Amino acid sequence: MPTKTPARALKAAARSRASKPTSRPAAKSPARSRKAAAPAPATVVGSKQSQLIALLRSAPGATLPQMTELTGWQPHTVRGTISGVLRKKLGLSVACEAGESGVRVYRIVGA
């Protein structure tokens, strides 16, 4: 096998160095990667979300057809808002009970 000339050896070494990263990025420390808990976002007065919260805070609560009529949203959007925004993001406790004639009634309990 023929040996490389010094010029070819330098070029080969330069190519191998160029393809390899020169340094590794520093690993994140556990303390830096954790985010502080953000405060719960406030709702805008007069928004569909605030109207929905007011309806759910009323004594009789609200059924899904009442909430879809109020907001103009599809039923899956109302259920997603209850689950994702009201329960998870705002931390509200929303109870769902089977009311008269098997219709589910949602209401905010506590607070």
Side-chain angles (χ1 to χ4, degrees), residues 31-90:
R32 292 173 121 196
S33 63
R34 295 178 189 227
K35 293 183 179 180
T43 58
V44 178
V45 177
S47 67
K48 291 181 182 182
Q49 181 177 316
S50 65
Q51 291 173 353
L52 185 65
I53 291 171
L55 183 64
L56 292 170
R57 285 186 195 250
S58 65
T63 63
L64 193 60
Q66 289 173 332
M67 292 184 278
T68 57
E69 185 180 331
L70 173 74
T71 59
W73 294 341
Q74 296 292 318
H76 66 273
T77 305
V78 173
R79 287 190 300 268
T81 302
I82 290 171
S83 174
V85 177
L86 302 184
R87 286 183 176 148
K88 293 180 183 175
K89 289 193 178 181
L90 296 178

